Amino acid sequence: MIGPLLRRVWLETRWLLAGCCLLMCFFFWLRVWLVSRLDSGRFQQILELLPSNIRSMVKVDFSFVVTHTGRLSIGFEEPMVLLVLSIWCISRGSDVVSGELSRGTMEMMLAQPVSRRRAFLVPVLYALAGVTLLALASQIGTWLGIATIIANEAYYPSFRIPLLGLSFPIPFAKPVETQIPMWQLVDWRAFWPGSVNLFCLGVTLLGVATIFSAYDRFRWRAIGGVTITLILLSVLKVVAMSHPALGFLGWLTFFSAFEPALFISQTSSLPGATWGWYFYGPGEVLVWTHWVYNAILLAIGLGLLWQALRVFERRDLPAPL
Amino acid sequence: MNTEPTVVTMPSQSDDSGTATGSFLADSATSIVSPLSEPLVDVQGLGKRYGDFQALADCRLQVQRGEVFGLLGPNGAGKTTLMRCLLGFLQPTSGRATIGGYDCWSQRTQAHGLLSYMPAQPQLPRLLRARDVLRFFADIRPSRISVDAGSGSAGQSSAGQSSTGQSSAGQSSAGQRYERACQLADRLQLDLSRWVALMSTGMRQKLAIAATLCADVPLVFLDEPTANLDPDVRSQLLQELAGLRAAGATVVFSSHVLSEIEQVCDRVAVLAKGRLVGLTDMRQLQRGSVISGVWTAEQPPAIAAENASGWQWLEAGRFKWLTPQPLEEVLPELLRGGVCDLRVQTMGLLDVYHQHLAYHGPASDEGSGA
């Protein structure tokens, strides 16, 4: 009985899923293209122009941000990526209960010998598969870009002191433009922590949307509730980052666990951060790895989904208005 | 399984304590001889309350296998609430209901294996073509429901019933159900290649009918199924219902169109303000009469007191009496008592319906609990 439910949800949402995946893939390809157009030196100059309070909000080391890998890793935090992920998670999560209820399509479906658990889990698992595909699309887009795009790099001529091994740039010299394939500058395998973190955030977003859906009978109200909640939690993260004294607010939002650029930088530079739960940073400070943050996101998301299932199994299903 | 014929007394109305009292038509005995030991649908003191509002109160009825059972009542009477409780969409706040021995709330999935349902305003997935919808409803049912699907109570109370129900439920394959749905859609002149979103309300209703009736289940719930249908399709649907009855299926049918109820139903329950206020056997109804006239004597007749529930005093000594008794028994007594302007009509469902509502109005007000 899973097959018909799965087929139905696939037929209803295949274009949305395909659109989101293509958009995600294209965006990451575009990101590689944009990074390839701007050489590292110029990007560093742009970064130095940023106000200090803005720079303090960036958790990643600036020496990493100016690299091609660093600049590509920031793409995981772009609003476009979060928008596509949110569209998928909110649209699917809100549809699971309140969407079906408000459209009236749940009545005839639940009058079949299909348990509420199954009627809930099939679309949720499908939505989770969609989140997985979106995370994969981010990897595929990045890989496609790296494999196909040639970067413009500008090198300033320098002179080298042979015995000392020191190089000094020649002032007032014109930069030398060269073209280098991106795959020689960036290893595409470095970005998987970003995709994993994106997937975990997707699970959490889906959980939030589904819990609103499970309690409500109107989809528009569930979507409104989710949107307001996510905006508030995002604002909370920004406020927490803006001043050290307000840092405690970061504990109140799950967006604090979404730091793909930071995790990519950690796994790129510190082998111990790749598979362990923690490592010791500068000054022997204990630092949790991305696995801990991902586990937090997963726990929140799956916990909310579990609670949504419990609510749905016990609640009354009112007649559609 | 016990196959001894049993006499099942149908309480046609309940007093406030929930005890079944006599029939509204006191002398239209609602005791019927059931060919089977247990009813397919058994509702015992079912109630549903939303905060202070009592949507359904102490409803008691039984639907026998193979009968077409009508639910009648004004808007807001509780018909849909009763049906939704039976379908396991709403959790009763009091009492319980079973279908084929399965509890309608805690064992709803097993109960759904025995039934098919079409809501009053069926909504189908709009982003699918009509044929995909039929395919979905044909595929969603298992080809054979496990005999052990029911839990304890079903097994204890009516294992035979359950297995009987299952023996006729879900026997056909998904392909056969799809084939049957397509044939029905064809009879209803439905274009299966159209997207549901582009269908009119009536076409969607036809599609829902095909999706509902393709399942070979022993029990079919239809909530106002003929709304939005043109007269031809309406009569075709009623024919389909007659076919279902001939095949031995049980149908619970809700409608505001009394002529349809009269045409297809074996028994009719009347609900008002959340209470079951009357239960009428259509066979007895067809034998009944409506007698009206003017009582000229000073003393009211004894027959009026004996048949209080069917007797209605109008203005200036005029009365109206709904009786299932043979005319040759009652007319002489009336004529002896001094009745003039005597008129006799065949009893119709509308008469009974109005009488049920008029008789039970005050009691239902008390019982609404609002």
Side-chain angles (χ1 to χ4, degrees):
Chain A
M1 281 189 292
I2 290 172
L5 290 170
L6 205 55
R7 183 170 179 270
R8 184 196 145 185
V9 72
W10 159 250
L11 287 174
E12 285 186 303
T13 63
R14 57 193 159 165
W15 298 118
L16 176 68
L17 180 61
C20 287
C21 286
L22 282 176
L23 207 58
M24 187 71 94
C25 195
F26 173 72
F27 176 78
F28 275 91
W29 180 89
L30 189 68
R31 180 82 194 174
V32 178
W33 183 80
L34 286 173
V35 166
S36 73
R37 297 300 98 185
L38 196 65
D39 68 73
S40 302
R42 284 183 199 155
F43 188 71
Q44 192 166 7
Q45 287 170 356
I46 293 170
L47 283 181
E48 284 166 1
L49 292 174
L50 289 174
S52 59
N53 56 341
I54 299 290
R55 292 177 67 170
S56 68
M57 293 171 72
V58 180
K59 290 188 176 179
V60 188
D61 189 28
F62 264 57
S63 62
F64 177 73
V65 175
V66 295
T67 65
H68 286 87
T69 306
R71 278 183 282 159
L72 286 177
S73 68
I74 293 172
F76 284 91
E77 297 178 14
E78 290 284 353
M80 186 69 183
V81 174
L82 296 178
L83 183 69
V84 172
L85 187 70
S86 301
I87 286 174
W88 173 255
C89 293
I90 295 175
S91 67
R92 295 316 309 146
S94 64
D95 192 67
V96 172
V97 179
S98 64
E100 295 267 13
L101 271 180
S102 56
R103 282 199 305 274
T105 48
M106 184 167 274
E107 299 218 303
M108 284 187 71
M109 185 180 72
L110 280 188
Q112 311 300 316
V114 177
S115 67
R116 288 196 190 182
R117 177 169 296 217
R118 191 164 290 185
F120 177 90
L121 284 179
V122 169
V124 164
L125 291 174
Y126 175 81
L128 284 175
V131 172
T132 311
L133 284 179
L134 287 175
L136 279 175
S138 69
Q139 278 287 295
I140 291 168
T142 307
W143 174 80
L144 274 177
I146 291 170
T148 57
I149 291 169
I150 294 171
N152 292 327
E153 282 295 304
Y155 290 96
Y156 288 84
S158 58
F159 68 91
R160 181 182 168 86
I161 300 174
L163 292 176
L164 297 175
L166 297 173
S167 293
F168 294 96
I170 301 170
F172 314 115
K174 281 187 176 179
V176 180
E177 297 273 346
T178 57
Q179 290 195 321
I180 307 171
M182 281 298 283
W183 59 265
Q184 287 185 0
L185 299 170
V186 186
D187 182 2
W188 68 274
R189 289 169 296 190
F191 299 99
W192 67 266
S195 293
V196 171
N197 199 216
L198 194 66
F199 166 78
C200 295
L201 179 72
V203 174
T204 309
L205 293 179
L206 187 68
V208 175
T210 309
I211 194 82
F212 271 90
S213 176
Y215 276 106
D216 214 325
R217 69 183 295 187
F218 297 111
R219 192 183 191 191
W220 62 265
R221 205 161 57 187
I223 290 176
V226 178
T227 308
I228 290 170
T229 305
L230 295 183
I231 289 172
L232 287 176
L233 291 176
S234 307
V235 169
L236 216 54
K237 180 181 178 180
V238 173
V239 173
M241 288 193 308
S242 64
H243 197 277
L246 298 172
F248 70 95
L249 292 175
W251 291 98
L252 302 177
T253 166
F254 60 76
F255 281 113
S256 299
F258 180 64
E259 293 288 353
L262 177 67
F263 301 145
I264 290 170
S265 78
Q266 286 175 351
T267 51
S268 300
S269 55
L270 300 163
T274 306
W275 296 112
W277 289 101
Y278 60 90
F279 64 92
Y280 290 98
E284 291 300 302
V285 178
L286 182 74
V287 181
W288 300 111
T289 65
H290 62 112
W291 293 115
V292 173
Y293 292 92
N294 289 336
I296 291 169
L297 286 173
L298 280 179
I300 294 171
L302 295 176
L304 289 173
L305 288 173
W306 175 249
Q307 176 60 18
L309 172 61
R310 282 168 53 86
V311 171
F312 178 55
E313 281 190 314
R314 288 162 171 75
R315 68 170 287 183
D316 282 345
L317 301 181
L321 296 175
Chain B
M1 188 176 71
N2 179 16
T3 54
E4 287 288 313
T6 55
V7 175
V8 181
T9 303
M10 297 296 164
S12 61
Q13 66 182 60
S14 310
D15 62 15
D16 287 339
S17 65
T19 312
T21 62
S23 165
F24 152 66
L25 296 171
D27 35 11
S28 73
T30 47
S31 300
I32 62 166
V33 177
S34 169
L36 287 167
S37 60
E38 284 189 35
L40 186 57
V41 179
D42 190 6
V43 180
Q44 294 298 332
L46 200 69
K48 180 66 186 174
R49 177 181 282 275
Y50 298 102
D52 291 337
F53 177 65
Q54 187 82 41
L56 192 67
D58 195 30
C59 184
R60 293 167 192 273
L61 59 87
Q62 293 172 326
V63 180
Q64 305 300 321
R65 289 166 194 275
E67 78 172 328
V68 180
F69 190 88
L71 286 175
L72 207 55
N75 290 327
K79 303 186 296 292
T80 302
T81 302
L82 171 60
M83 220 177 245
R84 296 181 79 79
C85 283
L86 291 173
L87 287 161
F89 294 165
L90 301 177
Q91 185 174 19
T93 44
S94 61
R96 81 187 286 256
T98 59
I99 290 176
Y102 294 113
D103 187 88
C104 287
W105 175 254
S106 61
Q107 296 173 300
R108 56 189 171 225
T109 308
Q110 291 92 329
H112 290 165
L114 304 177
L115 64 88
S116 186
Y117 165 63
M118 192 180 86
Q121 292 170 326
Q123 299 294 332
L124 298 161
R126 288 176 168 250
L127 299 178
L128 301 187
R129 289 180 191 276
R131 78 165 74 87
D132 293 323
V133 172
L134 293 184
R135 170 65 71 185
F136 171 76
F137 282 102
D139 289 349
I140 195 75
R141 287 180 179 274
S143 290
R144 189 178 293 273
I145 298 169
S146 164
V147 175
D148 298 327
S151 65
S153 67
Q156 292 159 16
S157 64
S158 57
Q161 299 292 316
S162 300
S163 57
T164 307
Q166 286 155 359
S167 68
S168 58
Q171 283 290 316
S172 59
S173 67
Q176 288 170 321
R177 284 194 291 270
Y178 180 64
E179 188 70 25
R180 195 161 48 237
C182 289
Q183 286 169 1
L184 186 52
D186 197 37
R187 288 203 292 276
L188 296 171
Q189 297 164 357
L190 200 60
D191 179 8
L192 291 181
S193 63
R194 289 189 77 164
W195 294 93
V196 175
L198 302 179
M199 286 180 157
S200 67
T201 311
M203 288 170 78
R204 261 179 269 167
Q205 183 108 356
K206 290 180 191 176
L207 183 61
I209 290 169
T212 304
L213 300 186
C214 74
D216 54 344
V217 286
L219 177 61
V220 181
F221 282 95
L222 300 171
D223 194 359
E224 299 179 31
T226 54
N228 306 316
L229 291 180
D230 60 59
D232 285 344
V233 181
R234 184 176 294 201
S235 63
Q236 208 161 358
L237 174 64
L238 296 178
Q239 281 176 15
E240 296 291 339
L241 288 184
L244 278 176
R245 177 158 63 175
T250 308
V251 180
V252 177
F253 183 90
S254 149
S255 176
H256 289 294
V257 186
L258 297 185
S259 59
E260 287 172 0
I261 297 263
E262 274 182 312
Q263 191 178 337
V264 299
C265 290
D266 298 313
R267 284 192 305 139
V268 177
V270 180
L271 288 110
K273 296 182 179 175
R275 284 185 171 271
L276 180 64
V277 297
L279 197 63
T280 302
D281 189 327
M282 295 303 289
R283 286 166 300 181
Q284 294 189 342
L285 177 77
Q286 285 156 7
R287 291 198 295 268
S289 311
V290 181
I291 302 171
S292 61
V294 179
W295 190 260
T296 53
E298 286 185 9
Q299 290 292 321
I303 202 167
E306 290 164 9
N307 300 280
S309 59
W311 192 284
Q312 196 179 356
W313 285 109
L314 306 173
E315 77 287 352
R318 180 164 287 281
F319 70 90
K320 188 176 176 184
W321 182 28
L322 276 65
T323 177
Q325 296 176 40
L327 289 174
E328 57 270 24
E329 287 181 14
V330 295
L331 283 182
E333 193 175 346
L334 286 174
L335 292 170
R336 273 198 304 275
V339 170
C340 65
D341 194 16
L342 190 70
R343 293 174 192 182
V344 179
Q345 293 173 292
T346 308
M347 196 190 297
L349 187 57
L350 184 63
D351 300 307
V352 178
Y353 176 68
H354 282 154
Q355 195 80 357
H356 278 311
L357 295 184
Y359 180 74
H360 207 82
S364 61
D365 278 338
E366 287 169 23
S368 65

